[in-house]
Amino acid sequence: MAAETTTKKPVVEIRPTVAADFAALSKNPLPFRVKAMTGVLHQDGPDGPDVDGRVIGIAGIGFRPDGIVIAFADLTEEARAHKVALHRAARRFLAEAQRTGFVRLVATGDPQSAAAQRWLDHLGFKRLMRDDAQGRPVEDEKVWVLTCTNKPAAAL
């Protein structure tokens, strides 16, 4: 009988973001206040998840000084490999934002990435409509808007 080998299975933990998480993904300082969730990748071993997980993504909302509230996601390729967990976490987070009273969230999507555009569609964002030089409405290629329908309850 051959000895059993244990393979480590990756586990993604979704938790509230702390300042150190941003430092793990980017050297740029935060330009404004945010409320976000962090995805941490752990390797699951025979004794449970290890304790030194790697930050693989941060997503949430940012409060710009001009009053615009943006939705953002800073994801590594490792995070993109966990599409189902990522999408479920994003849906929960956006539902909570709507319940707490946000009226409109703005996101930018890479016009070269069909996947980014599909994901924004699946999350309920719609392309921002702008007027062209002749005054005709056209879809913006980078800006997406989620209009929240719930009445305000409390601030996030």
Side-chain angles (χ1 to χ4, degrees), residues 22-63:
F22 284 101
L25 280 186
S26 174
K27 293 185 182 1
N28 299 328
L30 289 176
F32 37 73
R33 187 173 63 92
V34 300
K35 178 169 179 68
M37 300 299 286
T38 296
V40 180
L41 184 66
H42 298 280
Q43 292 298 323
D44 197 9
D47 300 324
D50 66 19
V51 291
D52 339 332
R54 263 185 340 280
V55 173
I56 60 169
I58 299 172
I61 54 177
F63 303 91

Side-chain angles (χ1 to χ4, degrees), residues 8-10 13 15-16 21 30 33 42 46 48 51 57 63 67 81 91 97 110 119 121 129 132 137 140 142 150 153:
K8 291 186 173 194
K9 178 182 169 191
E13 171 194 8
R15 61 168 172 70
D21 296 340
L30 289 176
R33 187 173 63 92
H42 298 280
V51 291
F63 303 91
R91 297 281 301 193
D110 179 356
W119 193 37
D121 277 337
M129 298 299 290
D132 66 9
D140 189 291
K142 288 176 31 175
N150 294 352

Side-chain angles (χ1 to χ4, degrees), residues 107 120-121 124-129 139 143-147:
L120 287 167
D121 277 337
F125 285 83
K126 304 294 179 208
R127 286 184 188 255
L128 179 68
M129 298 299 290
E139 288 183 337
V143 180
W144 299 69
V145 176
L146 177 67
T147 303

Side-chain angles (χ1 to χ4, degrees), residues 72-84:
F72 71 91
D74 187 0
L75 307 171
T76 65
E77 288 305 316
E78 285 175 302
R80 286 178 171 85
H82 299 275
K83 290 179 170 99
V84 174

Side-chain angles (χ1 to χ4, degrees), residues 106-124:
V106 176
T108 57
D110 179 356
Q112 305 305 315
S113 172
Q117 294 176 25
R118 280 192 310 273
W119 193 37
L120 287 167
D121 277 337
H122 288 309
L123 290 173

Side-chain angles (χ1 to χ4, degrees), residues 53-106:
R54 263 185 340 280
V55 173
I56 60 169
I58 299 172
I61 54 177
F63 303 91
R64 288 184 10 179
D66 62 4
I68 294 175
V69 180
I70 64 163
F72 71 91
D74 187 0
L75 307 171
T76 65
E77 288 305 316
E78 285 175 302
R80 286 178 171 85
H82 299 275
K83 290 179 170 99
V84 174
L86 186 62
H87 186 72
R88 286 181 179 160
R91 297 281 301 193
R92 283 192 310 267
F93 193 85
L94 290 171
E96 181 62 23
Q98 288 183 23
R99 271 193 304 280
T100 57
F102 289 97
V103 176
R104 180 178 153 163
L105 298 173
V106 176

